[in-house]
Amino acid sequence: MRPGVVAVLVSASLLTLGAAPPGASSSPPLPARMADTGGGTQLITAVAPGTGSTTGTVTWWDRRGAGDGRWVRAGSAPARFGAGGLTDGATRVQGTNTTPTGLYDLPYAFGIRAAPRGTAYPYRPVRKDSWWCQDNASRAYNRWTEPRPADCRAAEAEHLVTYTAQYAHALVVGFNYHRPVRGRGAGIFLHVDGRGATAGCVSVPAEAMRRILRWAKPDERPHLAIGTEGGRTAITRY
């Protein structure tokens, strides 16, 4: 989804999700309170205060121990969401600049720059003819294409190499990816911050994105959960 829609101010303070304030009784970490974490031993959570928010927190977690081991926070960073806020991924409409809530796999990583040293995730380099098709009429809808096919209009596709900051490093989010529904949305990524809110993706500072790529291990089956602190799109419901 085209990034950099509108500028926003991001708070320098981070939410410490899953941790109790000093002196209070501890509560289970966020992943332990979720309905589903994807079945793996790594998880990324992206949480916004509410559906109208454009900022929040991304946290990445490891599950340690056999079976139902405990979840431990590996890192966190300020996050940006869509200029239109967040909405339930199952009913999202393309072109609304909203970030889809839900639990998604992460098919592969990509970037204009080389993969950070230590990256184990499949990493696809962005080239001059790399495009992401968002044309609902195209057979390549919600897919990376090289070059752009004739049935995918340039106005309805992202020329990936032109987003030098945002797509320096990124992870493809499995929203509407495996069985695409036309009109639901295309090109949802976890990527580097641009100048402001996104057009539906989740973004983090450049160093945080590099840390996530060095941390993520395909064998651990990491997923990305996107949601709000409460309400119908609460992250704990996914």
Side-chain angles (χ1 to χ4, degrees):
M1 186 68 69
R2 283 190 175 85
V5 174
V6 63
V8 296
L9 296 177
V10 180
S11 172
S13 63
L14 298 179
L15 299 175
T16 307
L17 299 173
S25 59
S26 60
S27 60
L30 177 60
R33 293 182 275 119
M34 292 172 56
D36 189 5
T37 58
T41 53
Q42 288 188 327
L43 177 70
I44 304 171
T45 55
V47 184
T51 54
S53 304
T54 58
T55 62
T57 302
V58 159
T59 306
W60 47 107
W61 308 80
D62 291 301
R63 191 174 69 186
R64 297 178 181 173
D68 295 327
R70 65 188 182 94
W71 287 96
V72 178
R73 188 178 66 170
S76 63
R80 297 176 183 176
F81 299 99
L86 294 83
T87 192
D88 181 31
T91 57
R92 182 183 185 269
V93 176
Q94 184 167 329
T96 55
N97 294 332
T98 52
T99 297
T101 61
L103 179 68
Y104 307 106
D105 67 348
L106 300 163
Y108 60 91
F110 69 91
I112 294 171
R113 297 186 180 181
R117 182 174 297 180
T119 299
Y121 229 74
Y123 193 89
R124 189 168 186 174
V126 174
R127 309 181 194 280
K128 289 183 179 180
D129 61 349
S130 301
W131 294 75
W132 196 277
C133 183
Q134 300 176 6
D135 191 334
N136 282 281
S138 175
R139 290 172 293 178
Y141 179 68
N142 204 17
R143 287 293 183 273
W144 178 302
T145 65
E146 287 184 1
R148 178 176 53 83
D151 71 343
C152 182
R153 295 166 292 170
E156 297 295 329
E158 282 191 2
H159 194 195
L160 299 178
V161 75
T162 63
Y163 298 96
T164 55
Q166 295 93 332
Y167 297 157
H169 304 295
L171 274 163
V172 175
V173 176
F175 167 73
N176 201 34
Y177 183 78
H178 300 287
R179 295 182 180 179
V181 175
R182 312 284 168 154
R184 182 64 48 79
I188 299 297
F189 312 124
L190 173 60
H191 64 68
V192 176
D193 284 340
R195 296 181 62 185
T198 73
C201 296
V202 179
S203 72
V204 293
E207 179 55 29
M209 193 69 230
R210 289 190 289 267
R211 288 176 61 194
I212 290 170
L213 287 175
R214 289 191 291 264
W215 161 85
K217 301 295 184 289
D219 291 346
E220 306 292 335
R221 294 180 293 160
H223 284 66
L224 170 64
I226 306 170
T228 53
E229 292 177 358
R232 296 176 60 187
T233 54
I235 195 164
T236 52
R237 299 185 66 180
Y238 298 109

